[in-house]
C-alpha cells in the first residue's frame, strides 16, 4: 500500500511519530509516497525529519498556536484571530495538498493531527482512505478524563480534534496504557522510534528538560540559578537559538536534535517537560521518572498531564521546580515496565489494521465525524 502523510509541525511529537510509522511501513513492505508538513514561522523544521524520512517533504502554511509576548502562554482568542486572517493562505495550502495527492495517488492518507488534513478530506473527498492518528483521539473513549476547563477551552479542543478527523475511516488513538478499542476509535500503543529501543538507560547526574515554547526558558534559568547543585540540560526548537548555549555553569540549552535528545534521555536522572505526549512516552519506555508542566492556555496539555498522573507515569506541576521530581525519584520504587511491553505490540496491531483494511472508496458521512 502507498501512504501519504500529513503532519502537524507544532512541536516535535507528531514528526517523530511520523518517522516511527514510516520505518514500520518500510519493514512491512509498504511505501510512503511523501510527507506534507504544516510549517510555522515560529519554529524551524528540524534537520532530523529530512534525514529520517526518505520520501519527498512538502511544506505548507498551516494553522498554529499564537502565544503571549513572552512566548509562554497559548492565547486562544489571538490564535483564532490570527488563523482566520490567514484563511486565504490556508486555502492555497489545501490546494497544494490536493496537487500532491493527485500526483502521488496514495491508497491511504494518514494525518498526524493537522487541521488542514481534515478540511482537505471534507472539501476534496479523495479516493484514498483517510486515517488519523494521535493521542488526542482518546477523547472518543468513554474512559478518557477531561481536565477542568476554563471558558471554551474544552470546546475548542474537541472541535479541533473532530475537524482533523472529518470523514476518517480509521481513528488511531495513541495511549499510555492498554484500553479496549470502541466503534469510534482503535486504541494503539505509542509510536516510538527504533533508536530508543536500542538504548541502555542509566542514571546520570543531570535532569533533562524539553520546552515546547521558548518563553519557559526564563523559568528554567531562574531555577538553575537558585539551585547551582542541580545540573540541567534543556532542549528547545527556538528558531534563532544557537546550537548550544551555556547561560549558567549548571545549565545548557540545545537546539532539538533527535539522536542527542534520546542519548540524554537514556542518561538523565529524570525528565521535566511541557506535557507533550511523545516525550513522556520516551521517558517511560526508558524507565525514567517524569514531571510535566502543561503549557498555559493549551487545554490538550492539561489533559495530557491528567492522563500522566492517572497512568502512574509521573507527576504534574505548575512550574519548573525540579526539586519535586528529585523528591519523587528518592521515594519511587522499582516497578515493571508496562510501557515497553505495550509499545512492543505495535507490529501485531499494524498487521491487524492492514488485514482489516478494504481498499474501496470510503463512504463519506460528515455527521459521523462529529458524533
Amino acid at each position: 500500500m502507498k501512504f501519504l502523510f500529513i503532519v502537524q509541525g507544532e512541536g516535535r511529537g507528531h514528526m517523530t511519530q511520523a518517522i516511527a510509522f514510516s520505518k514500520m511501513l518500510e519493514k512491512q513492505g509498504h511505501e510512503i509516497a511523501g510527507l506534507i508538513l504544516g510549517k510555522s514561522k515560529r519554529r524551524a523544521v528540524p534537520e532530523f525529519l529530512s534525514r529520517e524520512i526518505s520520501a519527498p517533504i512538502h511544506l505548507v502554511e498551516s494553522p498554529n498556536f499564537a502565544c503571549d509576548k513572552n512566548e509562554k502562554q497559548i492565547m486562544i482568542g489571538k490564535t483564532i484571530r490570527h488563523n482566520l486572517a490567514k484563511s486565504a493562505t490556508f486555502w492555497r495550502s489545501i490546494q497544494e495538498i490536493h496537487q500532491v495527492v493527485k500526483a502521488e495517488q496514495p491508497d491511504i492518507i494518514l494525518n498526524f493531527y493537522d487541521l488542514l488534513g481534515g478540511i482537505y478530506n471534507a472539501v476534496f473527498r479523495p479516493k484514498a482512505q483517510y486515517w488519523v492518528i494521535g493521542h488526542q483521539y482518546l477523547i472518543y473513549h468513554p474512559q478518557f478524563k477531561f481536565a477542568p476547563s476554563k471558558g471554551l477551552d474544552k470546546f475548542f479542543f474537541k472541535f479541533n480534534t473532530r475537524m482533523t478527523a472529518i470523514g476518517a475511516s480509521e481513528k488511531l488513538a495513541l495511549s499510555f496504557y492498554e484500553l479496549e478499542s470502541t466503534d469510534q476509535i482503535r486504541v494503539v500503543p505509542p509510536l516510538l522510534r527504533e533508536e530508543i529501543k536500542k538504548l541502555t538507560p542509566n542514571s546520570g547526574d543531570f535532569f533533562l528538560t524539553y520546552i515546547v515554547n521558548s518563553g519557559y526558558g526564563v523559568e528554567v534559568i531562574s531555577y538553575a540559578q537558585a539551585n547551582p547543585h542541580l545540573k540541567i540540560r534543556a532542549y528547545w526548537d527556538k528558531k534563532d537559538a544557537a546550537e548550544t548555549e551555556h547561560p549558567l555553569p549548571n545549565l545548557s540549552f540545545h537546539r532539538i536534535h533527535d539522536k542527542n535528545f534520546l542519548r540524554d534521555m537514556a542518561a538523565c536522572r529524570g525528565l521535566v517537560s511541557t506535557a507533550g505526549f511523545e516525550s513522556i512516552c520516551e521517558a517511560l519506555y526508558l524507565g525514567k521518572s517524569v514531571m510535566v508542566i502543561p503549557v498555559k492556555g493549551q487545554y490538550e496539555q492539561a489533559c495530557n498531564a491528567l492522563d500522566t498522573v492517572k497512568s502512574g507515569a509521573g507527576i504534574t506541576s505548575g512550574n519548573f521546580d525540579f526539586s519535586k521530581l528529585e523528591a519523587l525519584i528518592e521515594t519511587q520504587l522499582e516497578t515493571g515496565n508496562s510501557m515497553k511491553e505495550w509499545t512492543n505490540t505495535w507490529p501485531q496491531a499494524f498487521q491487524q489494521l492492514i488485514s482489516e483494511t478494504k481498499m474501496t472508496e470510503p463512504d463519506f458521512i460528515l455527521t459521523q465525524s462529529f458524533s
Side-chain angles (χ1 to χ4, degrees):
M1 292 184 185
K2 182 189 284 190
F3 284 73
L4 176 69
F5 291 177
I6 301 174
V7 183
Q8 186 203 115
E10 190 85 11
R12 62 181 280 272
H14 300 289
M15 288 181 271
T16 58
Q17 290 166 11
I19 290 169
F21 205 99
S22 72
K23 302 301 182 186
M24 188 163 55
L25 288 181
E26 291 170 2
K27 280 187 175 181
Q28 299 284 345
H30 301 285
E31 177 187 354
I32 171 172
L35 183 150
I36 299 169
L37 180 68
K39 65 180 180 178
S40 164
K41 289 184 178 178
R42 293 195 300 131
R43 308 182 191 282
V45 178
E47 173 272 337
F48 67 78
L49 186 66
S50 56
R51 170 166 41 85
E52 296 293 335
I53 295 286
S54 56
I57 296 176
H58 310 271
L59 301 179
V60 299
E61 288 275 353
S62 182
N64 56 81
F65 289 116
C67 292
D68 62 5
K69 63 181 181 180
N70 295 320
E71 285 292 315
K72 288 174 65 176
Q73 183 172 349
I74 299 298
M75 310 297 288
I76 295 298
K78 183 179 177 181
T79 295
I80 294 170
R81 292 192 301 273
H82 172 79
N83 288 317
L84 285 176
K86 299 186 69 176
S87 296
T89 298
F90 298 147
W91 174 243
R92 287 193 294 273
S93 294
I94 291 170
Q95 292 175 312
E96 290 175 36
I97 292 172
H98 187 53
Q99 292 305 313
V100 176
V101 172
K102 285 200 304 182
E104 299 296 345
Q105 294 292 306
D107 299 309
I108 296 168
I109 298 170
L110 179 59
N111 184 13
F112 293 80
Y113 204 66
D114 191 89
L115 177 62
L116 295 188
I119 297 174
Y120 166 73
N121 195 53
V123 173
F124 285 92
R125 303 188 182 189
K127 290 183 179 180
Q129 287 202 30
Y130 179 68
W131 296 0
V132 294
I133 187 167
H135 180 57
Q136 295 85 351
Y137 301 107
L138 274 183
I139 68 168
Y140 293 98
H141 200 284
Q143 293 186 37
F144 183 80
K145 300 296 183 184
F146 288 96
S149 174
K150 294 181 180 178
L152 296 174
D153 288 353
K154 180 179 177 180
F155 168 81
F156 282 121
F157 172 50
K158 293 174 69 175
F159 179 76
N160 186 74
T161 300
R162 288 167 175 163
M163 287 292 288
T164 66
I166 296 175
S169 57
E170 284 284 355
K171 299 184 187 81
L172 306 177
L174 303 172
S175 175
F176 288 126
Y177 41 84
E178 291 188 64
L179 288 170
E180 289 292 324
S181 296
T182 71
D183 291 340
Q184 293 198 72
I185 61 170
R186 188 187 297 258
V187 180
V188 292
L191 274 167
L192 300 182
R193 290 164 292 159
E194 287 300 315
E195 289 89 337
I196 200 167
K197 299 175 183 180
K198 298 174 184 176
L199 294 171
T200 302
N202 58 79
S203 185
D205 62 350
F206 67 94
F207 285 101
L208 180 67
T209 186
Y210 172 63
I211 305 165
V212 70
N213 287 344
S214 59
Y216 284 99
V218 176
E219 284 191 31
V220 176
I221 291 172
S222 177
Y223 188 85
Q225 197 166 26
N227 297 270
H229 66 288
L230 288 181
K231 293 182 181 179
I232 301 168
R233 291 184 193 173
Y235 281 81
W236 58 4
D237 58 357
K238 187 178 179 183
K239 198 166 186 177
D240 57 349
E243 202 65 37
T244 303
E245 299 177 14
H246 293 273
L248 295 167
N250 62 325
L251 172 64
S252 59
F253 280 92
H254 308 265
R255 285 283 293 274
I256 191 65
H257 184 285
D258 60 330
K259 295 186 185 300
N260 291 348
F261 183 76
L262 290 184
R263 177 204 65 203
D264 285 343
M265 179 81 81
C268 71
R269 293 183 64 194
L271 174 72
V272 176
S273 173
T274 43
F277 176 76
E278 197 69 11
S279 296
I280 299 168
C281 292
E282 290 169 343
L284 295 180
Y285 190 91
L286 292 169
K288 302 295 179 177
S289 299
V290 175
M291 182 174 80
V292 295
I293 300 95
V295 171
K296 293 178 182 177
Q298 192 169 349
Y299 180 73
E300 173 192 331
Q301 290 222 344
C303 292
N304 283 354
L306 192 67
D307 211 20
T308 300
V309 175
K310 176 188 172 184
S311 67
I315 58 174
T316 185
S317 174
N319 55 47
F320 284 79
D321 183 350
F322 289 76
S323 65
K324 296 177 183 177
L325 183 60
E326 191 172 33
L328 174 67
I329 292 170
E330 290 173 355
T331 58
Q332 212 169 36
L333 298 174
E334 287 287 331
T335 59
N337 196 328
S338 58
M339 170 63 75
K340 185 173 288 189
E341 296 168 4
W342 172 224
T343 301
N344 288 344
T345 65
W346 239 119
Q348 299 95 301
F350 180 73
Q351 293 234 353
Q352 183 179 356
L353 175 62
I354 292 297
S355 68
E356 295 175 5
T357 299
K358 295 180 180 179
M359 297 313 300
T360 57
E361 185 171 347
D363 294 327
F364 192 97
I365 304 175
L366 182 62
T367 54
Q368 286 184 350
S369 296
F370 288 84
S371 60

